[in-house]
């Protein structure tokens, strides 16, 4: 039993060492921090894409297939905003109470997905 646990944890330990070293280097260098955050963002995007595929099948079966975008956007916002430690401040939130509302991104960037999604 102990041998099987060790055989499972050893590859995880070998993989985590470079990740921890990269994370440590990200605290020391702005360039490394940039690539660390790009990697985290890409990981969150990939994880939510896989979740979206699985979720779309489940929602299709229960007759809620049009809700897939909503749940994928919410899960991406939840995961990426916490992983990257990004918060948003909404100016003019009182104007969003009137429906319908149209939200537009002013600049084209990778963060548009994060703040327009939820």
């Amino acid at each position: 039993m102990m041998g099987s646990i060790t055989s499972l944890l050893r590859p995880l330990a070998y993989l985590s060492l470079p990740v921890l070293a990269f994370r440590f280097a990200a605290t020391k260098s702005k360039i490394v921090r940039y690539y660390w955050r790009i990697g985290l963002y890409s990981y969150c995007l990939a994880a939510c894409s896989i979740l979206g595929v699985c979720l779309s099948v489940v929602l299709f079966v229960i007759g809620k297939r049009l809700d897939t975008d909503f749940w994928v956007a919410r899960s991406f916002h939840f995961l990426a905003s916490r992983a990257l430690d990004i918060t948003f401040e909404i100016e003019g939130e009182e104007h969003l109470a009137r429906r319908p509302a149209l939200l537009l991104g002013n600049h084209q960037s990778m963060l548009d997905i994060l703040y327009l999604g939820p």
Side-chain angles (χ1 to χ4, degrees):
M1 178 70 177
M2 193 60 144
S4 63
I5 293 174
T6 305
S7 65
L8 290 173
L9 293 179
R10 186 173 294 165
L12 183 62
Y14 289 137
L15 291 174
S16 65
L17 285 175
V19 172
L20 291 175
F22 195 56
R23 176 66 183 124
F24 176 75
T27 62
K28 305 295 181 194
S29 169
K30 288 183 179 182
I31 294 171
V32 177
R33 183 174 31 237
Y34 170 77
Y35 286 109
W36 173 256
R37 290 174 66 95
I38 290 291
L40 278 176
Y41 186 88
S42 300
Y43 171 76
C44 292
L45 197 57
C48 288
S49 297
I50 293 168
L51 173 72
V53 169
C54 299
L55 193 61
S56 67
V57 171
V58 171
L59 290 174
F60 179 78
V61 169
I62 64 172
K64 302 274 187 181
R65 69 179 179 89
L66 298 178
D67 292 342
T68 303
D69 292 338
F70 172 80
W71 287 109
V72 171
R74 292 288 172 151
S75 62
F76 180 73
H77 176 75
F78 178 81
L79 183 63
S81 64
R82 282 157 182 77
L84 299 171
D85 194 30
I86 294 176
T87 58
F88 295 100
E89 182 180 322
I90 300 172
E91 295 178 8
E93 189 173 2
E94 65 276 3
H95 300 294
L96 292 176
R98 295 189 309 252
R99 299 286 178 167
L102 179 63
L103 301 175
L104 297 174
N106 192 18
H107 297 94
Q108 188 176 9
S109 72
M110 290 176 54
L111 290 179
D112 288 350
I113 299 169
L114 190 56
Y115 74 84
L116 290 177

